[in-house]
Amino acid sequence: MPTFKLDDRDIEFQPGDTIIQAAHRAGVDIPHYCWHPGLSVAANCRMCLVELGPPPGRGPLLLDVLRYDAKTGEYVKTKKPKLVPACQQPLTEGMEVKSQTSEHVAEARAAVQELLLLNHPVDCPICDQAGECRLQDYWLSHGANKKRMRDEIVHKPKAVSFGPTIVYDAERCIVCTRCVRFCDEVVGDHVLDKRERGNLSEIVLAPGRQLDHAYTLMTEYVCPVGALTAKDFRFKARVWFLRSVRSVCVGCATGCNSYTDFDPRNQTVYRYRPRDNERVNKFWMCDEGMLDYRRIHTGRVLAAQAGGKQVAVDAGLDAAADACRKIDPNTSAVVLSAQHSNEDNFALLQLAQRLGVTRLFLSGRPEGEGDDILRSEDKNPNRTGVIGLCGLQTPGSFKDFAALAEQGNLRTVLALGSDAELPDRASALSKIESLVTIATHQGPFVKAARVVLPASSWAECDGTFVNRDGIAQLSERAVRPQGQSQPAWKLVAGLASRLGHDLGYKRVADVQAALAPQERSGAAVQEAGATA
Amino acid sequence: MTSQLTAPAEIVEGLGPNRVRGKVVKRPQRDVAVQSYIPEVIRGIGITLSHFFKNTKEMALDQRNDPVLESIDDGINTISYPEQRRPYAERFRGVHRLTTREDGSPRCVACLCCSTACPAQCIYIEPADYGDDPKRGGYEKYPKRFVIDELRCIFCGFCVEACPCDAIRMDTGMHPAPYDSRDQFIYEKDLLLSIPGRDGKHESANPRHEPGDPTFPGIDRERGH
């Protein structure tokens, strides 16, 4: 592979790479606002200026400039090298690029930073971006100069509603056009554009339109400053209180990589952010997925129920064991969940095997809207995983299950998850004599159940999810289990031990060790996720 | 050396069966008057009563000394707290207060800088959005709840230092009153807003100079360069 020299380091590049692309891949950060690895090059922020060494056999390209001499108070004729934006400059073999080591670059970047902050309102106290804002970061690392301009700043519209999810603040905007390019290039909806020039420029909506496509929250995420803020996250938390874990979105079968941002003090999840993964979601996530964190705290089953009353989890497990003792393979079934992780489903499959239950069914959330960008019609994160776990014994659909239940052929059913894939057939569940449900959320299976056991959600325990392309990915635990809930595999293990079968699962690692290699998140996949 | 080894005159050599060396002390005089304690008790009551009448007279006639001047004098001086109080220093960090804008709304914009800086973690703020509320007057964010646990507070003043809006101050010159239950030490927003500064005002001593104000330090478009 050809190499070029960035400061004192030799970095490999692929033909056609720009300087910033190759540096980004090698893990070297060249300061930038408008460049984004997933978008086209705009080169309008001028933050990534670098100094190039002269081409072979020629002298350096120098510009005549006047430099102010503070001692004499006069301007002196001098020369300085022509700087180029690293986001636009293609690389050639042996090119010498100076980024950190050039004084001209440092001067230029400090000047760019001063220009970008010239009309900035500096309302960081009320800005949600504060703490993860590039204007703040680069101001600190590029001079941290006090403002020299004594003029009143140019005032522009503040807190403009762009649609159901996004608020725009034109004063904070540096008009990098990342949001415009995202809408144009990734979503294909030309809803945003730029108007006016210079310090009057701002982002506007297309006439008669609202920012209401399925990926609006990504415009907030690509915004390097606090110009676009999400109505959902607005004023909810300060980012420096939040901690992140690497998670996988469970909103649909795509399995987008995400970060779960939560406050460890009150054990509350505040948002999802996309996590770069070239193989799955690249850099993006959809609105539906980014707002899916709300399900962690709403509609949950937080206590065990037996006979219509709330009981302790142990008493619930006892009641469930009583129900399961009557299991007869001819009139019993086990319902697996495409909403739950491989660990949970695997534990339940093991128990089903020990109890001799051969009728397996698979349920999940009903189908929804999909598109060609990211969203799947299948709104379940682990359908592929569960079918893989079952092997040759392909589980039946919810339709078959409802038909069997309707005929009254099912006496005892052990179900994971509370989702009925066909909501209009959910009434059949009431025909089941004794239904034991292990569920995270309220739903038809919980309503019809004789015994309900509260399971922890995906954010409260580690779990592996296999997406529609068969990639197994690990979602890490963020918060502690809510209420009395426990991980579903643990509830299954507790139920099994009461029925005289020891599954031997004490920690989640025990379950993962029992999974086949292709069913747990492989090291290769994790690495692929980590490169971006 | 030999002279030191000889015992002094009043030291008696070899008293009693164990031949203990010792000094002969005269027994105290204990006559009936001393043993009955009565004259001493009367003398003590006399001192107490003389102080009582002196203090009562001074209080009734408002002749008490200034505690500050008195504290400069030598000797033991008594300040009759809580009627008399030693004045606190100019920069004494007292109970917190929240300053208000001219329209009475809190200056606080709920940026959570104070609760971030607080080493005792005693400040709890719930931010909210003014939305389209006409009261907002150019502001977007305000604290829906602002709670300080004065029992947890260590009065370090970091919150005041951290505040970018001069919304929280400790210039009240008061310390928290000794309440009789813990929940009374939890100061809510309304209480914090109701406490005035030493000058008796609720507004900040450092008003915000908006670009339109005549006090605005910068040059604006109307005034030119």
Side-chain angles (χ1 to χ4, degrees):
Chain A
M1 263 226 246
T3 60
F4 75 107
K5 199 163 184 163
L6 180 62
D7 294 332
D8 303 320
R9 202 176 139 181
D10 287 316
I11 293 176
E12 291 186 341
F13 68 93
Q14 289 159 9
D17 269 356
T18 57
I19 299 173
I20 206 167
Q21 250 176 336
H24 177 75
R25 203 177 296 120
V28 182
D29 184 46
I30 295 177
H32 60 273
Y33 290 100
C34 69
W35 180 76
H36 188 284
L39 299 174
S40 67
V41 173
N44 61 21
C45 75
R46 315 310 279 186
M47 196 61 194
C48 64
L49 290 177
V50 288
E51 186 181 339
L52 293 187
R58 272 192 283 171
L61 183 59
L62 292 172
L63 303 176
D64 294 321
V65 289
L66 289 172
R67 187 175 290 280
Y68 181 70
D69 188 350
K71 267 185 199 160
T72 57
E74 281 174 19
Y75 288 91
V76 187
K77 273 192 180 177
T78 177
K79 284 182 188 297
K80 70 163 209 173
K82 169 104 177 84
L83 306 178
V84 296
C87 64
Q88 211 175 25
Q89 178 65 41
L91 280 164
T92 54
E93 172 75 63
M95 194 180 251
E96 280 183 24
V97 182
K98 281 185 183 173
S99 169
Q100 304 284 334
T101 48
S102 163
E103 55 179 307
H104 297 289
V105 168
E107 191 190 354
R109 285 184 190 161
V112 167
Q113 186 60 29
E114 190 176 358
L115 174 74
L116 292 176
L117 284 173
L118 210 56
N119 287 307
H120 192 79
V122 206
D123 53 355
C124 306
I126 62 155
C127 180
D128 281 328
Q129 192 84 7
E132 53 181 10
C133 178
R134 293 203 179 201
L135 283 172
Q136 289 182 333
D137 297 348
Y138 292 155
W139 176 77
L140 267 178
S141 57
H142 292 89
N145 297 317
K146 283 198 175 156
K147 194 169 172 173
R148 291 185 291 172
M149 186 180 85
R150 305 282 286 162
D151 265 359
E152 189 184 340
I153 65 164
V154 176
H155 289 290
K156 285 192 256 186
K158 286 182 87 72
V160 184
S161 176
F162 260 15
T165 54
I166 296 289
V167 179
Y168 175 63
D169 189 315
E171 288 193 344
R172 296 180 197 150
C173 183
I174 60 166
V175 204
C176 68
T177 68
R178 267 188 182 190
C179 52
V180 178
R181 281 176 285 147
F182 173 77
C183 288
D184 285 356
E185 294 163 18
V186 179
V187 188
D189 183 1
H190 311 285
V191 63
L192 293 180
D193 211 333
K194 188 185 127 180
R195 67 175 270 250
E196 278 287 0
R197 296 171 54 129
N199 59 10
L200 297 176
S201 56
E202 60 180 289
I203 304 294
V204 285
L205 288 165
R209 276 294 308 275
Q210 278 202 317
L211 187 58
D212 55 3
H213 53 67
Y215 295 84
T216 56
L217 287 172
M218 268 316 296
T219 60
E220 184 270 332
Y221 186 68
V222 294
C223 182
V225 299
L228 295 171
T229 47
K231 281 185 183 169
D232 179 68
F233 186 65
R234 195 168 156 85
F235 304 160
K236 291 264 172 67
R238 303 307 312 231
V239 291
W240 54 82
F241 288 128
L242 302 182
R243 299 288 173 272
S244 304
V245 293
R246 289 171 296 181
S247 56
V248 174
C249 175
V250 299
C252 76
T254 310
C256 294
N257 290 209
S258 60
Y259 288 107
T260 305
D261 286 357
F262 64 102
D263 190 333
R265 300 171 306 169
N266 57 10
Q267 294 288 315
T268 308
V269 177
Y270 281 97
R271 61 173 181 185
Y272 280 157
R273 280 183 298 134
R275 178 158 58 100
D276 303 358
N277 189 336
E278 199 55 44
R279 288 177 65 192
V280 183
N281 56 318
K282 302 213 165 54
F283 316 94
W284 324 119
M285 260 176 98
C286 67
D287 285 359
E288 211 178 307
M290 281 173 93
L291 294 177
D292 200 45
Y293 80 89
R294 293 193 283 206
R295 279 205 294 143
I296 297 166
H297 298 296
T298 50
R300 290 289 303 276
V301 176
L302 295 176
Q305 293 163 27
K309 279 183 296 180
Q310 279 201 2
V311 292
V313 173
D314 277 342
L317 280 169
D318 290 339
D322 284 344
C324 290
R325 277 194 195 97
K326 295 184 206 124
I327 276 185
D328 169 10
N330 295 320
T331 59
S332 305
V334 161
V335 181
L336 302 164
S337 172
Q339 277 287 310
H340 280 258
S341 64
N342 266 359
E343 285 80 349
D344 296 350
N345 281 297
F346 180 73
L348 187 61
L349 266 176
Q350 293 297 306
L351 178 62
Q353 240 170 41
R354 309 275 166 102
L355 296 173
V357 179
T358 49
R359 279 182 182 164
L360 299 177
F361 296 95
L362 177 60
S363 186
R365 288 201 295 165
E367 276 198 352
E369 222 177 304
D371 60 28
D372 303 336
I373 307 168
L374 286 177
R375 296 185 299 161
S376 300
E377 275 156 19
D378 179 9
K379 295 298 170 195
N380 298 295
N382 202 25
R383 184 179 299 274
T384 320
V386 177
I387 292 171
L389 284 173
C390 294
L392 296 174
Q393 203 183 356
T394 312
S397 68
F398 180 78
K399 198 176 162 190
D400 302 343
F401 175 76
L404 262 181
E406 195 73 55
Q407 290 159 16
N409 286 346
L410 293 174
R411 287 252 169 89
T412 315
V413 172
L414 189 52
L416 182 63
S418 63
D419 308 290
E421 215 159 346
L422 305 164
D424 48 332
R425 304 291 300 273
S427 58
L429 296 175
S430 58
K431 299 263 172 74
I432 300 165
E433 203 174 283
S434 90
L435 172 63
V436 176
T437 304
I438 302 171
T440 55
H441 289 78
Q442 302 288 350
F445 274 90
V446 169
K447 213 182 267 175
R450 179 180 276 193
V451 183
V452 180
L453 298 170
S456 304
S457 74
W458 59 92
E460 293 146 38
C461 53
D462 286 0
T464 312
F465 296 90
V466 183
N467 77 351
R468 60 183 175 191
D469 301 326
I471 301 173
Q473 306 181 102
L474 182 73
S475 181
E476 291 173 349
R477 186 192 115 144
V479 291
R480 286 194 291 269
Q482 291 178 46
Q484 295 178 21
S485 70
Q486 289 179 15
W489 59 263
K490 202 179 233 176
L491 292 169
V492 171
L495 184 57
S497 72
R498 277 170 176 74
L499 294 168
H501 303 290
D502 183 17
L503 297 181
Y505 302 149
K506 291 223 159 46
R507 295 172 302 139
V508 70
D510 299 334
V511 192
Q512 281 164 349
L515 285 169
Q518 73 272 15
E519 285 150 4
R520 44 178 194 250
S521 118
V525 176
Q526 282 299 300
E527 271 167 29
T531 52
Chain B
M1 289 294 280
T2 50
S3 66
Q4 280 181 7
L5 289 172
T6 56
E10 59 271 32
I11 301 287
V12 184
E13 188 89 34
L15 272 180
N18 294 334
R19 307 186 72 79
V20 177
R21 288 180 68 190
K23 185 178 171 184
V24 178
V25 181
K26 219 177 141 192
R27 281 201 178 275
Q29 193 85 42
R30 287 192 184 166
D31 54 18
V32 180
V34 171
Q35 294 231 329
S36 70
Y37 295 108
I38 290 170
E40 289 300 310
V41 168
I42 291 170
R43 194 139 47 110
I45 290 173
I47 291 171
T48 309
L49 282 178
S50 73
H51 277 293
F52 170 73
F53 287 121
K54 183 166 165 267
N55 285 349
T56 314
K57 187 192 116 204
E58 279 179 352
M59 204 145 80
L61 300 178
D62 202 14
Q63 292 171 335
R64 315 248 15 197
N65 288 337
D66 186 329
V68 184
L69 295 178
E70 199 168 78
S71 67
I72 298 168
D73 293 342
D74 288 340
I76 300 165
N77 301 292
T78 308
I79 292 167
S80 308
Y81 185 86
E83 288 83 20
Q84 281 190 318
R85 290 174 195 222
R86 205 189 284 272
Y88 286 128
E90 189 90 331
R91 293 170 68 180
F92 170 74
R93 296 191 292 266
V95 161
H96 315 77
R97 69 177 176 114
L98 288 179
T99 58
T100 58
R101 303 201 184 104
E102 279 172 7
D103 63 351
S105 62
R107 282 173 71 96
C108 174
V109 295
C111 70
L112 276 89
C113 283
C114 53
S115 69
T116 305
C118 181
Q121 299 185 9
C122 67
I123 306 179
Y124 171 78
I125 302 170
E126 223 174 274
D129 194 342
Y130 272 124
D132 295 327
D133 194 335
K135 278 191 298 180
R136 66 181 264 192
Y139 297 92
E140 291 171 34
K141 199 177 176 189
Y142 73 98
K144 197 162 76 182
R145 284 187 74 198
F146 193 112
V147 188
I148 300 181
D149 185 344
E150 297 286 350
L151 276 179
R152 251 189 192 201
C153 176
I154 57 167
F155 295 91
C156 64
F158 282 11
C159 52
V160 182
E161 302 276 323
C163 184
C165 300
D166 197 28
I168 188 167
R169 292 186 140 237
M170 294 174 87
D171 63 352
T172 49
M174 293 156 52
H175 51 250
Y179 299 113
D180 50 16
S181 78
R182 290 187 181 216
D183 54 343
Q184 286 170 300
F185 286 93
I186 312 293
Y187 281 25
E188 291 273 349
K189 186 175 105 176
D190 291 338
L191 178 61
L192 290 164
L193 280 168
S194 70
I195 306 173
R198 271 187 174 182
D199 54 2
K201 287 185 190 153
H202 291 277
E203 282 115 51
S204 148
N206 300 318
R208 185 172 155 141
H209 303 281
E210 300 284 354
D213 295 343
T215 51
F216 183 64
I219 302 158
D220 59 26
R221 284 187 190 149
E222 278 70 41
R223 277 181 281 172
H225 292 271

